[in-house]
Amino acid sequence: EFYRQGIFVKKDMQKAFDYYNKAIESPIDNICFHAYYNLAKYYYLTGNTILAKDINKAIQYLTIASNHNHIKSSILLLYLYAEDYLSNHNEESITKIKEITKKIETHKEYTKDIKYEIEKVLEKIKEDNKINLDIILKS
C-alpha cells in the first residue's frame, strides 16, 4: 500500500504490483487476501500502465478474497454483478447477487452502512423492472 499510495516512499505502481503478487504467492497459511482485493481493484478492474484491464481476472481475484471472508471483495463483487445484470440482463448474475448478498449479510463486519450500500444496489436492479426484487431478498 505504501508504494501504491506513495506513503513514506516515492509512489511506484510497479513495485506495489510486485509486492501484491508476492503476497498472494505465499504459502496458504500466510496469504494476504487483501492483496487479491488490491490487485483486482487497482490493477485488473481499471487497467493502468502496468497491465491492461481484465474484468475476468478481477472477478477471479475478488472471488478468492470473498471466499476467505474479505467483505470489501464481496461488496465489490456485488457491484460488478449488479452492473453486469443491468447492462446485459445476465441471469447468472442474479444468482451471484443472491449468494453474495447472503455472504455479506452474515459477515461479522456487516453494519448498517453496508446494509444501506446493498439496498442501493438492489434498488437499482428493482428499478430496472426486469426482475422481482423479492426473489433476491427472500432467497
Side-chain angles (χ1 to χ4, degrees), residues 52-112:
K53 182 177 179 176
D54 185 341
I55 190 73
N56 293 325
K57 189 74 165 181
I59 289 172
Q60 175 190 355
Y61 279 9
L62 290 169
T63 301
I64 290 168
S66 175
N67 288 341
H68 287 87
N69 292 320
H70 190 271
I71 194 166
K72 288 182 178 182
S73 295
S74 298
I75 293 167
L76 188 49
L77 275 172
L78 178 68
Y79 280 111
L80 292 173
Y81 284 119
E83 183 178 295
D84 179 59
Y85 177 76
L86 292 170
S87 298
N88 305 312
H89 293 91
N90 181 351
E91 291 299 319
E92 288 179 35
S93 292
I94 292 297
T95 302
K96 295 291 186 181
I97 289 167
K98 291 178 195 177
E99 292 170 6
I100 294 166
T101 299
K102 280 184 182 180
K103 186 181 290 191
I104 294 169
E105 290 175 342
T106 59
H107 196 280
K108 65 182 179 184
E109 294 176 29
Y110 183 68
T111 64
K112 288 180 183 179

